[in-house]
Amino acid sequence: MVQNYRRDAAGQLRWRTAEKEGGAGLPPSSRAIVSPYDTSARYARHGHISWKGFAAHLTETCAPDGPNVITDVATTAATTHDSQVLPGIHTRLARRGLLPAEHLVDAGYTSLSHLEQAAREHQATLSGPLKSNPTRQHRRDEGFARDDFHRLRQAAGHLPPGRDPSPEVLANPGHLTSTGPRSPTDSS
């Protein structure tokens, strides 16, 4: 385990400081001990929220005609990304006969591979927002970014979900359209 101290040249214990402060560097969150009471607890941050401990992933029913019931609980190290937990959740729910036809999740759990895997392995529809576009063009609202393009053939049902168009389709600009660069006055 890596701690927040190190031994200097004389063998004395010294607190670690950040590399940018000229120190030896702090241990990575996945290895740093953050509690003397539970050495497996870790530090994590999601957006503006940070904590020390663990992450709990709860799955519950949301039928309009019945009570909400928790159907799965997964506890992971705080440093485990949400997307790594979803396949295990689906496997446990399927084993108990509790996997819904549609599983509503937040952006931390969605990816194209998870959408495809849920449909292929469990015949379940994964519904939730995809992760935001991290490109520089998107952040600055200038130029053409990934979200400016739409694949018409796939939207029209000419390609199965999850299958990329052939190079010939990509070479034909008639199959790709753009909404154009976004502007601050654009409401979309």
Side-chain angles (χ1 to χ4, degrees):
M1 290 272 171
V2 176
Q3 283 292 333
N4 287 331
Y5 59 85
R6 63 177 177 82
R7 293 199 183 271
D8 64 12
Q12 297 293 316
L13 289 178
R14 301 284 181 218
W15 284 108
R16 290 179 178 261
T17 57
E19 289 179 24
K20 63 184 175 189
E21 298 170 5
L26 299 172
S29 292
S30 61
R31 296 183 58 207
I33 296 174
V34 297
S35 170
Y37 306 105
D38 190 342
T39 58
S40 59
R42 297 293 181 259
Y43 170 82
R45 182 179 61 203
H46 283 264
H48 300 291
I49 299 171
S50 62
W51 72 94
K52 296 174 183 174
F54 301 88
H57 307 268
L58 302 176
T59 306
E60 66 179 315
T61 62
C62 58
D65 57 345
N68 292 351
V69 177
I70 294 175
T71 57
D72 189 71
V73 177
T75 304
T76 63
T79 55
T80 302
H81 192 272
D82 293 345
S83 65
Q84 294 175 305
V85 181
L86 189 63
I89 291 171
H90 283 165
T91 300
R92 286 188 302 278
L93 290 172
R95 187 177 14 188
R96 294 191 302 255
L98 298 173
L99 189 67
E102 182 177 22
H103 192 174
L104 306 176
V105 296
D106 70 25
Y109 297 89
T110 57
S111 69
L112 293 177
S113 62
H114 284 140
L115 293 169
E116 186 274 330
Q117 183 180 19
R120 179 176 34 85
E121 293 181 8
H122 301 290
Q123 295 72 48
T125 301
L126 190 63
S127 296
L130 289 173
K131 294 180 181 94
S132 64
N133 187 338
T135 62
R136 182 188 46 159
Q137 291 92 337
H138 182 78
R139 287 192 311 271
R140 293 183 180 174
D141 276 340
E142 61 187 24
F144 289 102
R146 177 194 70 195
D147 295 341
D148 293 324
F149 295 90
H150 305 280
R151 295 191 177 171
L152 292 180
R153 286 179 53 115
Q154 200 157 12
H158 297 294
L159 285 175
R163 181 169 164 237
D164 289 330
S166 66
E168 296 81 26
V169 170
L170 291 175
N172 182 348
H175 294 290
L176 296 174
T177 61
S178 168
T179 58
R182 291 172 308 284
S183 67
T185 58
D186 188 5
S187 61
S188 58

